[in-house]
Amino acid sequence: MVQAPLPDNEAVRVKALCQLNILDTAPEPAFDDLARLAAYICQTPVALVSLVDSDRLWFKSKVGLDTSEIPRDATFCAQAILQTGPLVVNDVQQDEQFVHIPLAQADPAVRFYAGMPLVTGEGYGLGTLCVLDYVPRQLDSAQLEALQALARQVMAQLELRRSLAELTETQTHSSDILESITDAFLALDDEWRFTYINRQAEVLLRRSRTELLGRCIWEEFSDLVDSAIYRKYQQAVETQTSVEFEEFYPSLETWFSIHAYPSRQGLSVYFEDINARKQAEAALRSSEERYRLLFENNPQPMWVYDLETLAFLAVNRAAIAHYGYSQEEFLSMTLCDIRPPEDIPVLLQNVANLTSGIGQVGLWQHCKKDGSLIDVEITVHDLIFAGKQSVMVLVNDVTDRRRAERSLLETTLLQQAILDGANYTIISTDLDGTIRTFNRAAEQLLGYSADEVVGKTPLLIHDLKEVEQRARELSEELGETIAPGFECFVHKIRSGGVEEREWTYIRKDGSRFPIVLSATGLRDSDGNLTGFLGIGSDISDRKQAAEMLQLQSMRSQLFAEISLKIRRSLQLGEILQTAVTEVQKIFQSDRVLIFRLDSESKGQVIQEAVAPGWSSTLDLKVQDDCFGADYLRKYRQGRVYTVNDVGTAKLEPCLVHFLEYLDVKSKLVMPILLKDQFWGLLIVHQCDRPRQWTSSEIELTQQLADQIGIALAQSQMLEQANLQSQELARSNADLEQFAYVASHDLQEPLRMVASYLQLLERRYRGQLDDTADEFINYAVDGAMRMQTLINDLLDYSRVDSRGKSFVLTPCSAILDRAIANLQTTIKVAHANVTCDPLPEIMADATQLTQLFQNLISNAIKFCSNQRPQIHISSQRRADAWLFSVQDNGIGIDSEYVDRIFLIFQRLHSRGEYPGTGIGLAICKKIIERHGGSIWVESQPGQGSTFYFTIPDRGGNSA
Ligand code: ADP
């Protein structure tokens, strides 16, 4: 079943139908006749004038049908009103659209339908004139045309009905119009008599119709004669033109607005009471005056400008005072003149968009006459001013406020910038410890975004163990229980303090870093605590530096200790013992040992320091292939070897076994090189745990191994030097013994040889031949020289063996004695020996005499052709006396200045200068016995100066 769609104009169509006032009215012959005619012409049992209401078909006329209405849905008529021409269904059973509609299903079923739409002049389909049959049929064209004509008749009837309804309504209304209009109305005839007075006129004139009808107005209202009203009425009638005026009628104390229209019959007068309006106008006038005063005297600048030209139309006093322009200047300017040039386009845009109304507020800048700019907040109000569409503007100068706002904003921005720019973590909390702000540095250092932590507790980023520890400390200190929570950070601050202490912060990823946290209270202007502020400074670097420093000082301390001990002992055993003990102490390791390499692959532990509880490895011999064939070669090249964790390191199984045997969990092995030769190993063991050897620990161990190498080298050198000096001392002693024994034992036979030779010489001189005499001379001379030599050697050997203890000796007396001993020699040579005052010193007087004697005799002996000049002097030095013996002799080549002090060393042949070459050697020995030294400064031919020092052991000065 197909529902007929609703017409497009359904709502107005139904309204038009209702306006006919026909629905549900009684049958009318005019319509019934037309229906009957239609049934007759079409030869159908049923004919209807059917009207389509919103939800039903209502039949104004029905032929052959009892019911007066049926539901609208699924009816032929509902479909028919949608079209302008007829709807004809010859056989409903054959028609898909209608075969299922109720009428087609009823008993008897409708088989035929032909309907003509009833369409108004406006195009509204109101219903149909239709014919129906219970058998299929066809209408011929004449029947159709007739049906169409009849439909037009029905429509004409309906139109007629509408017109009638309208007419009735108009009539009903017109009779009331004059009565119901709010204006008062009266009509006068050409004799000025009242012909009509409406109700309102009765009210306004306070007279009844019956009193006035037929009476002359100028008689009834005689006080109007010659009044303005009277003249206007006369004028209207005379000129036959309507008049319109307002006038006050004193008798009625009423203002009237009067419209009088002349006609041939007289005058029609409409009038109304305008007292209220007049009062309003008066009120308005006074209110306008008040507004003008308000405008004029308003303390804030105000003006009115022409919306079209933007010219100022009025300005108040405050505007003149504030902007600096005179009123004349203002009135010759436009709004553009007080705006910065860059604002003009926006201004014009805004003016164009200005919507009517009050209270549009804007924030602008205005220029004063002096060129200064001010920030203004303006309120606008549109109005008609002097007949022009205008805008009234109220100006509020907010320059100061804006400046304050800007500075506040700047301060806020500055604070934000400071917070964000700071290198410190800045975290603020509420009184209860809820995080309120978390600055950028905190975000970066801790790895949390502010959003993640704001609203949470700072304990999130703290080490709870530290907090617990702090709680215990505080509780003890204050004698009250402080819970291990946020209170630990702020307890002291609540009582007005500031607290700065080190804490550990924990990052989001769990890593930690040390900080110094300075916590303070946040207080409002009244001093009430409102929250807390924690400023944290990352001290990782500082800590690291401190640790480095500590390590550094530890290292220097270690070096100092080891070096000191090495200097003191110079013993190999002590060096190594010191090394292992100190390394074990500093590294807090469990075992430190020195492994000494004996041969290519064999060695043994020769020194160790072991923590209590761990086994000793001393004397442990190691010859193990597990270390690998190459390991010694690698150590030789300076390899450093660390095993952080024996358990996880990839080592040979036998090595692991070996290390496990020694309980080694971790080890550090450092070669010790002695003069670039691989000497042994310094080994550090950790037995209780694996250990990560840091680069600084490795470096430290390396430096220690170097130090040990150096110490070993020194000790070795010392040992050699000791051996050498012992050897030397022994050979010296042997030599002295030999010299003594030899010279002593040789003396006797030599004396005998010399005596008998001398006897031979005395007794047989001249008795033998000349040659024999010469030979005897040689023999005597040789024996004499040998005697001298032996005596000198004896003297030499006796310097040490027969030396006397040192006593305070006056050097001048000693010198005198030496000169006396040399008296003959000095005399023969005509030598001149002079001296400065000499000191008293602690010395062996005999040896000192011999010393002076040897030097002076040499000075006389090795003289040139001139007379020997010898001068002896002394000088005080820091801790010794310096003596000099100066001559003007032959001098000595610088090449030989050291050699001459060695025994038997002479620079000349005996023919040139006699001597044994022992004199200076004896001098040197005497001086060395006294703890001094001897040397010579000389140039050949320039004389020589022999210097010697004797330590000052407390003698008097010269
Ligand atoms: P001797 O005097 O028996 O030769 P010395 O040991 O006293 O032995 O001296 C060694 C050598 O030093 C001398 O042979 C001489 O060549 C040189 N000599 C010593 N004293 C002087 C001097 N005052 N001037 C120059 N040469 C000197």
Side-chain angles (χ1 to χ4, degrees):
M1 182 164 63
V2 180
Q3 298 262 345
L6 293 177
D8 296 338
N9 52 9
E10 174 68 5
V12 277
R13 185 194 71 80
V14 172
K15 191 175 173 197
L17 177 62
C18 292
Q19 279 173 349
L20 292 177
N21 284 334
I22 194 170
L23 293 172
D24 301 311
T25 53
E28 288 175 57
F31 293 102
D32 289 344
D33 288 350
L34 290 169
R36 260 196 297 275
L37 210 50
Y40 176 75
I41 290 169
C42 297
Q43 292 291 301
T44 57
V46 180
L48 304 165
V49 173
S50 156
L51 295 172
V52 182
D53 196 0
S54 54
D55 55 355
R56 58 176 180 162
L57 295 192
W58 181 78
F59 307 126
K60 176 61 187 170
S61 180
K62 47 189 193 297
V63 173
L65 201 67
D66 288 336
T67 177
S68 61
E69 64 177 45
I70 58 171
R72 173 177 172 172
D73 292 339
T75 55
F76 300 105
C77 296
Q79 181 66 37
I81 62 164
L82 298 173
Q83 51 194 69
T84 45
L87 170 70
V88 180
V89 183
N90 291 326
D91 185 355
V92 176
Q93 289 294 320
Q94 305 297 318
D95 193 305
E96 276 185 15
Q97 189 180 355
F98 296 107
V99 69
H100 298 297
I101 67 172
L103 282 175
Q105 301 297 318
D107 186 21
V110 173
R111 295 288 299 269
F112 169 77
Y113 174 87
M116 280 297 164
L118 303 171
V119 184
T120 66
E122 293 86 13
Y124 305 134
L126 302 178
T128 60
L129 169 64
C130 61
V131 290
L132 298 89
D133 202 347
Y134 303 108
V135 291
R137 15 178 356 117
Q138 282 192 332
L139 293 185
D140 60 24
S141 57
Q143 285 173 314
L144 266 177
E145 272 174 34
L147 193 62
Q148 217 156 6
L150 288 172
R152 278 198 296 274
Q153 286 303 314
V154 173
M155 202 53 231
Q157 280 298 324
L158 288 173
E159 289 287 0
L160 187 63
R161 197 181 163 82
R162 184 163 71 169
S163 300
L164 269 172
E166 279 174 3
L167 190 62
T168 318
E169 195 177 26
T170 310
Q171 278 173 343
T172 322
H173 284 171
S174 335
S175 62
D176 291 335
I177 282 176
L178 288 175
E179 295 305 318
S180 64
I181 55 174
T182 49
D183 278 3
F185 174 74
L186 57 84
L188 303 169
D189 65 10
D190 51 358
E191 298 287 319
W192 299 104
R193 285 182 302 239
F194 288 99
T195 57
Y196 188 83
I197 296 169
N198 77 348
R199 255 200 308 276
Q200 182 63 6
E202 285 182 297
V203 172
L204 292 190
L205 296 177
R206 294 173 213 163
R207 300 285 286 274
S208 75
R209 242 179 267 205
T210 45
E211 273 173 34
L212 296 176
L213 281 175
R215 314 294 290 248
C216 175
I217 182 174
W218 309 127
E219 285 167 13
E220 291 304 315
F221 297 91
S222 55
D223 52 354
L224 277 181
V225 175
D226 284 339
S227 71
I229 295 174
Y230 177 84
R231 283 196 297 277
K232 288 279 181 188
Y233 284 5
Q234 294 288 344
Q235 177 199 336
V237 171
E238 278 163 24
T239 59
Q240 283 295 301
T241 50
S242 60
V243 288
E244 189 181 322
F245 59 98
E246 289 177 359
E247 194 53 57
F248 184 69
Y249 185 23
S251 310
L252 294 174
E253 289 188 327
T254 304
W255 272 93
F256 288 109
S257 166
I258 302 168
H259 293 245
Y261 301 93
S263 66
R264 239 174 271 123
Q265 293 82 29
L267 194 67
S268 300
V269 179
Y270 295 86
F271 59 103
E272 61 178 319
D273 176 349
I274 57 167
N275 271 354
R277 201 185 86 202
K278 281 287 176 189
Q279 271 165 14
E281 277 176 4
L284 188 65
R285 266 200 303 282
S286 87
S287 126
E288 269 180 357
E289 179 61 16
R290 277 206 300 281
Y291 275 123
R292 204 183 59 73
L293 283 171
L294 206 61
F295 176 83
E296 198 50 46
N297 297 317
N298 197 307
Q300 287 185 324
M302 290 182 80
W303 56 69
V304 177
Y305 69 89
D306 183 342
L307 191 56
E308 197 182 341
T309 63
L310 304 186
F312 286 100
L313 300 176
V315 288
N316 74 348
R317 272 203 280 275
I320 291 166
H322 205 76
Y323 284 74
Y325 292 106
S326 70
Q327 176 147 23
E328 290 69 36
E329 284 171 327
F330 252 125
L331 296 182
S332 66
M333 300 192 319
T334 73
L335 212 51
C336 297
D337 296 322
I338 60 157
R339 296 291 293 272
E342 62 273 17
D343 275 8
I344 305 293
V346 188
L347 165 72
L348 298 176
Q349 181 70 38
N350 281 353
V351 169
N353 292 342
L354 204 61
T355 51
S356 64
I358 311 173
Q360 293 201 40
V361 174
L363 203 56
W364 303 109
Q365 283 200 311
H366 282 171
C367 299
K368 289 193 191 179
K369 189 178 180 182
D370 64 9
S372 59
L373 281 178
I374 53 172
D375 291 313
V376 293
E377 202 172 64
I378 58 162
T379 311
V380 300
H381 175 344
D382 62 335
L383 80 167
I384 303 291
F385 185 89
K388 290 172 180 157
Q389 189 70 41
S390 312
V391 177
M392 185 164 76
V393 176
L394 177 74
V395 177
N396 184 12
D397 185 343
V398 293
T399 312
D400 291 343
R401 195 183 83 199
R402 293 276 291 166
R403 197 174 296 141
E405 281 170 3
R406 266 198 291 272
S407 95
L408 188 69
L409 183 70
E410 275 164 18
T411 312
T412 315
L413 288 175
L414 187 68
Q415 281 170 351
Q416 193 59 43
I418 289 170
L419 279 182
D420 285 343
N423 261 334
Y424 308 103
T425 61
I426 302 177
I427 301 170
S428 72
T429 70
D430 286 340
L431 282 173
D432 66 358
T434 307
I435 297 179
R436 279 198 309 222
T437 63
F438 195 76
N439 78 335
R440 195 167 297 160
E443 290 184 321
Q444 282 164 354
L445 280 168
L446 286 156
Y448 288 102
S449 73
D451 289 346
E452 283 175 292
V453 290
V454 167
K456 297 189 179 147
T457 163
L459 292 171
L460 185 74
I461 52 169
H462 275 273
D463 179 350
L464 293 182
K465 284 213 180 82
E466 262 182 17
V467 180
E468 279 164 13
Q469 171 66 24
R470 180 64 185 146
R472 276 194 295 276
E473 277 172 23
L474 270 176
S475 306
E476 216 164 284
E477 184 185 328
L478 303 171
E480 56 177 306
T481 307
I482 306 294
F486 180 71
E487 199 54 27
C488 293
F489 306 116
V490 298
H491 191 80
K492 289 199 165 174
I493 297 159
R494 288 197 200 273
S495 47
V498 176
E499 196 169 50
E500 188 171 281
R501 59 186 307 111
E502 287 187 19
W503 293 96
T504 301
Y505 266 177
I506 303 178
R507 295 192 183 86
K508 190 178 180 184
D509 65 9
S511 60
R512 293 152 175 261
F513 63 99
I515 52 142
V516 167
L517 182 68
S518 158
T520 45
L522 292 171
R523 290 174 191 278
D524 62 15
S525 50
D526 297 329
N528 300 318
L529 197 63
T530 58
F532 301 100
L533 185 71
I535 301 177
S537 148
D538 180 354
I539 53 166
S540 310
D541 290 350
R542 209 206 289 176
K543 280 254 169 184
Q544 217 168 351
E547 274 166 21
M548 287 298 286
L549 206 65
Q550 203 183 347
L551 196 68
Q552 193 72 40
S553 78
M554 207 166 77
R555 187 178 300 177
S556 348
Q557 191 193 339
L558 179 67
F559 284 162
E561 278 173 29
I562 293 183
S563 324
L564 191 68
K565 288 179 182 174
I566 287 169
R567 269 208 301 277
R568 273 190 193 147
S569 69
L570 289 168
Q571 292 295 312
L572 177 71
E574 251 185 74
I575 293 166
L576 300 181
Q577 182 60 56
T578 306
V580 293
T581 311
E582 297 300 323
V583 171
Q584 196 242 334
K585 212 182 336 175
I586 284 176
F587 282 0
Q588 299 198 322
S589 60
D590 297 320
R591 189 186 291 122
V592 178
L593 47 100
I594 303 262
F595 176 78
R596 173 80 168 99
L597 188 75
D598 298 336
S599 65
E600 252 319 274
S601 57
K602 268 196 280 176
Q604 115 179 53
V605 176
I606 57 166
Q607 194 64 266
E608 74 170 357
V610 194
W614 304 107
S615 60
S616 166
T617 57
L618 206 57
D619 299 330
L620 183 75
K621 290 194 173 55
V622 179
Q623 182 180 19
D624 203 320
D625 296 338
C626 298
F627 292 100
D630 242 9
Y631 89 103
L632 288 173
R633 187 180 59 78
K634 284 184 190 154
Y635 284 134
R636 212 164 272 137
Q637 289 167 352
R639 154 174 115 146
V640 177
Y641 181 49
T642 59
V643 177
N644 292 330
D645 186 353
V646 173
T648 58
K650 287 180 186 139
L651 303 172
E652 291 288 327
C654 56
L655 179 57
V656 174
H657 184 72
F658 175 71
L659 292 173
E660 278 174 355
Y661 168 71
L662 296 176
D663 294 315
V664 177
K665 297 268 173 5
S666 175
K667 69 170 184 169
L668 166 60
V669 184
M670 189 67 64
I672 300 170
L673 303 180
L674 174 58
K675 290 185 195 150
D676 293 336
Q677 294 294 310
F678 179 47
W679 181 87
L681 297 168
L682 170 64
I683 303 172
V684 188
H685 283 168
Q686 196 68 38
C687 299
D688 58 347
R689 62 191 155 94
R691 177 167 181 164
Q692 185 80 33
W693 300 98
T694 66
S695 56
S696 60
E697 283 168 342
I698 293 172
E699 199 185 322
L700 182 65
T701 317
Q702 181 137 42
Q703 292 184 7
L704 274 171
D706 290 349
Q707 290 294 315
I708 295 169
I710 292 167
L712 290 176
Q714 282 177 348
S715 130
Q716 226 174 42
M717 272 160 59
L718 188 76
E719 216 166 298
Q720 274 172 9
N722 278 343
L723 280 176
Q724 276 172 2
S725 72
Q726 279 168 16
E727 183 60 28
L728 198 65
R730 194 179 53 76
S731 75
N732 273 354
D734 289 353
L735 186 67
E736 263 176 36
Q737 185 65 21
F738 164 74
Y740 180 77
V741 171
S743 45
H744 185 268
D745 291 356
L746 280 176
Q747 242 178 354
E748 195 43 46
L750 186 59
R751 202 178 293 132
M752 193 191 287
V753 170
S755 310
Y756 280 98
L757 277 175
Q758 282 167 346
L759 191 62
L760 207 60
E761 191 189 24
R762 274 199 307 272
R763 218 175 264 185
Y764 298 101
R765 184 179 290 273
Q767 295 178 27
L768 301 174
D769 59 8
D770 288 349
T771 314
D773 283 349
E774 195 181 334
F775 287 172
I776 289 169
N777 273 343
Y778 284 145
V780 171
D781 185 45
M784 297 292 283
R785 273 199 293 121
M786 187 169 278
Q787 251 178 343
T788 314
L789 193 63
I790 286 171
N791 283 333
D792 284 354
L793 261 177
L794 266 174
D795 285 346
Y796 180 80
S797 67
R798 283 172 181 158
V799 171
D800 282 330
S801 58
R802 300 278 173 91
K804 295 189 193 104
S805 55
F806 300 161
V807 292
L808 193 60
T809 308
C811 292
S812 299
I814 296 294
L815 182 63
D816 287 347
R817 197 188 300 164
I819 291 171
N821 291 346
L822 292 169
Q823 202 179 5
T824 315
T825 317
I826 292 169
K827 216 170 180 180
V828 170
H830 302 290
N832 182 24
V833 182
T834 56
C835 73
D836 290 338
L838 298 177
E840 288 187 337
I841 56 171
M842 293 295 288
D844 178 336
T846 310
Q847 289 185 345
L848 207 56
T849 311
Q850 189 173 9
L851 174 75
F852 277 121
Q853 210 171 304
N854 283 2
L855 292 175
I856 293 167
S857 68
N858 273 353
I860 295 170
K861 182 162 61 175
F862 297 103
C863 73
S864 48
N865 293 327
Q866 51 189 325
R867 183 182 169 195
Q869 296 285 348
I870 299 146
H871 184 73
I872 296 106
S873 67
S874 71
Q875 273 178 36
R876 185 81 167 85
R877 286 287 153 92
D879 51 1
W881 284 96
L882 173 68
F883 293 85
S884 62
V885 179
Q886 189 182 19
D887 66 47
N888 59 343
I890 59 170
I892 305 163
D893 196 321
S894 60
E895 201 184 328
Y896 306 117
V897 291
D898 290 330
R899 222 175 86 185
I900 57 172
F901 293 99
L902 298 179
I903 194 164
F904 303 134
Q905 293 295 325
R906 310 194 68 244
L907 302 179
H908 307 280
S909 67
R910 249 183 315 113
E912 289 173 286
Y913 299 98
T916 55
I918 296 177
L920 286 180
I922 291 174
C923 290
K924 188 165 186 270
K925 217 172 176 189
I926 290 171
I927 289 300
E928 282 175 353
R929 182 168 171 255
H930 281 77
S933 55
I934 182 165
W935 68 98
V936 64
E937 286 177 8
S938 179
Q939 294 276 325
Q942 303 287 316
S944 310
T945 305
F946 283 82
Y947 293 97
F948 61 90
T949 59
I950 293 184
D952 185 6
R953 295 188 177 88
N956 292 338
S957 63

